[in-house]
Amino acid sequence: MSDVTTDRGAGGAEDAPAIDVRGLRKAFGELEVLRGIDFSVGRGEVVCVIGPSGSGKSTLLRCVNLLEEPSAGRVTVAGTEVTDPDVDIDRVRRRIGMVFQSFNLFPHLTALENLTIAQRRVLRRGRPEAERIGRANLERVGLGDKATAYPAQLSGGQQQRVAIARALSMDPELMLFDEPTSALDPELVGDVLAVMRGLARDGMTMLVVTHEMSFAREVADRVVFMDGGVIVEQGTPEQVVGAPSHERTRTFLARVLDPAAAEVGEVADDGAAGRRVDR
């Protein structure tokens, strides 16, 4: 399948893809979770990855910053091949912000302290500078008044916004989001998505694994549909979500967009759809 790119962020040599993945495979024992993934994300581009649970979406995201070691293939981030055995992966990861399903905040630290600890220990910033940057990013996510609050005093949506602010405080070149709203109550999802929309408007490069179809329609430059460890199709939101070309994509979207209409046991068994993975 050919890659689809957008004009957003296009330019000279410095605008080579922010993420470039070629021939990516990942197996856990005999279970092959990713089976030859090829795609790229341009600088300033927002790419949403959708698909059923177990299709390999999160594993793909974790391979980008080497939280999972690929079994084969090449991953390049901002011009650096992270799959090179000699790569300084910690240096590369400083350029990547990642937001997980769980918030992973330190419970004994305030919101501001959660934002400053990595700045001080990893980037070697002084306390005044780290706190200034941390406060600015709390303001950016709408939590300027929660600097002294502890995680237990915040809602799930607020904790996730603190997690986003923490990632932004490290000055990342790109952001990875692994289903950032999946652990939230429905009424709390909107505030997190609003922050992500703001990042997109500001030109942040974003690779987002999500089940939020409205967000993918509205914000993504490109939507990638995965199933069975492969990319089934990709294109603009209008193409993939609005008028998908593959039957498996149509079946998935029908179940997601109108779950009440799905029949018990209804499964597409053609192609990649018949193969399930656990991650």
Side-chain angles (χ1 to χ4, degrees):
M1 178 174 296
S2 61
D3 288 324
V4 179
T5 59
T6 68
D7 293 331
R8 184 167 155 178
E14 69 277 8
D15 291 312
I19 301 171
D20 191 58
V21 176
R22 298 294 146 192
L24 180 63
R25 293 181 177 272
K26 175 62 182 177
F28 295 94
E30 296 183 357
L31 178 66
E32 193 169 27
V33 177
L34 298 176
R35 302 188 294 111
I37 301 293
D38 294 291
F39 86 112
S40 62
V41 179
R43 295 178 187 269
E45 189 179 17
V46 178
V47 175
C48 285
V49 183
I50 63 172
S53 298
S55 60
K57 307 183 302 295
S58 293
T59 300
L60 168 62
L61 208 67
R62 293 171 69 85
C63 283
V64 169
N65 65 356
L66 229 60
L67 290 178
E68 294 287 359
E69 186 82 30
S71 302
R74 186 182 74 249
V75 178
T76 303
V77 175
T80 300
E81 184 185 343
V82 301
T83 43
D84 184 335
D86 297 323
V87 72
D88 183 348
I89 189 59
D90 290 333
R91 184 175 182 180
V92 175
R93 284 176 180 153
R94 292 173 196 165
R95 306 163 73 179
I96 305 172
M98 186 158 185
V99 178
F100 300 87
Q101 298 177 35
S102 56
F103 320 126
N104 295 322
L105 300 178
F106 292 112
H108 63 291
L109 300 180
T110 65
L112 181 60
E113 289 168 341
N114 267 281
L115 268 62
T116 59
I117 185 170
Q119 293 186 66
R120 297 178 64 195
R121 294 189 178 182
V122 177
L123 301 182
R124 301 298 181 186
R125 287 173 176 161
R127 182 188 294 271
E129 181 185 14
E131 290 187 349
R132 175 182 59 78
I133 292 171
R135 290 182 186 280
N137 281 305
L138 285 175
E139 289 285 353
R140 188 175 183 181
V141 301
L143 294 175
D145 61 338
K146 299 295 184 181
T148 60
Y150 288 89
Q153 299 172 314
L154 302 173
S155 70
Q158 289 173 329
Q159 290 184 60
Q160 191 62 293
R161 283 187 280 159
V162 171
I164 294 172
R166 176 180 57 187
L168 293 173
S169 294
M170 301 298 286
D171 297 329
E173 295 181 25
L174 59 103
M175 293 281 289
L176 309 177
F177 293 88
D178 187 7
E179 299 190 23
T181 61
S182 65
L184 302 180
D185 290 337
E187 65 181 351
L188 302 178
V189 168
D191 289 339
V192 174
L193 295 182
V195 170
M196 295 172 66
R197 289 188 188 95
L199 294 178
R201 286 194 299 269
D202 292 343
M204 175 64 74
T205 304
M206 298 163 61
L207 180 58
V208 185
V209 170
T210 185
H211 290 295
E212 301 289 343
M213 293 303 114
S214 61
F215 177 84
R217 279 180 180 270
E218 177 186 347
V219 179
D221 296 304
R222 179 158 41 105
V223 175
V224 175
F225 174 68
M226 288 185 64
D227 190 35
V230 301
I231 293 177
V232 177
E233 66 177 293
Q234 61 179 311
T236 65
E238 292 76 13
Q239 293 169 331
V240 176
V241 181
S245 61
H246 197 284
E247 178 59 31
R248 178 63 185 117
T249 316
R250 290 193 289 269
T251 301
F252 169 77
L253 289 171
R255 294 175 67 89
V256 170
L257 298 175
D258 189 11
E263 298 292 334
V264 175
E266 178 187 356
V267 176
D269 59 4
D270 62 315
R275 292 180 287 271
R276 287 290 182 267
V277 295
D278 295 332
R279 298 170 188 264

